[in-house]
Amino acid sequence: MAVRVVRLGQPRTSREGLRLGTVRRPPRGVRKEQYASLDFFDVWMPELAPSAPLVSWALSEPWTDKRWAKYERSYRSEMKNPGAARLLSLLAALSRQTDFSVGCYCENESRCHRSILRELLRDAGADMRDSE
């Protein structure tokens, strides 16, 4: 059993399990009933997405190493909030019982919160499966 980190909207892989969308907003132009069938997500979990102000800041300019470092610090700080921290602990525990995946829309995982989320889940004790 394990958790995978995926890009939402991409075809599902075998043993991926339930797909959790850790994004601030649902996909544009897609009806709610189609989120799962179009390989976006089965359950929307915006609580594990960066805050709206952080997303706005992130999209305001191209990434540099300095901007990425600031973004990472800010996102990690947000994930220390009690609600997010409890969700990370829950997902870590679930990863030892069942397969599931978490994801975001960004094309490049190395400049996406899901790369940080992967580390946060691992640090919380999640059983991680390589993906992407």
Side-chain angles (χ1 to χ4, degrees), residues 4-130:
R4 292 177 187 262
V5 178
V6 300
R7 182 174 180 207
L8 302 179
Q10 296 295 303
R12 294 172 190 251
T13 60
S14 65
R15 295 187 57 207
E16 186 177 309
L18 189 72
R19 190 178 269 197
L20 308 176
T22 62
V23 291
R24 180 63 33 208
R25 306 249 186 271
R28 289 182 181 184
V30 178
R31 291 195 341 247
K32 190 176 187 177
E33 309 80 55
Q34 295 179 309
Y35 292 165
S37 65
L38 295 177
D39 292 327
F40 285 103
F41 48 78
D42 301 299
V43 177
W44 183 32
M45 296 188 73
E47 299 83 2
L48 293 179
S51 65
L54 185 55
V55 171
S56 293
W57 178 85
L59 297 174
S60 68
E61 294 179 30
W63 288 117
T64 62
D65 290 343
K66 184 177 179 180
R67 287 188 84 245
W68 177 255
K70 179 177 178 176
Y71 175 83
E72 183 173 6
R73 283 190 306 274
S74 297
Y75 178 65
R76 285 179 180 277
S77 177
E78 290 179 352
M79 292 301 102
K80 288 179 183 175
N81 290 328
R86 282 190 296 271
L87 279 174
L88 290 169
S89 294
L90 171 66
L91 293 179
L94 285 174
S95 74
R96 295 184 290 276
Q97 302 291 321
T98 190
D99 291 325
F100 65 93
S101 57
V102 297
C104 180
Y105 311 119
C106 297
E107 184 175 349
N108 181 359
E109 182 183 334
S110 69
R111 292 293 199 227
C112 173
H113 81 280
R114 71 181 185 269
S115 66
I116 306 163
L117 185 56
R118 176 190 305 275
E119 294 172 9
L120 291 170
L121 286 165
R122 187 174 284 125
D123 292 348
D127 181 8
M128 302 298 296
R129 175 159 304 181
D130 287 335

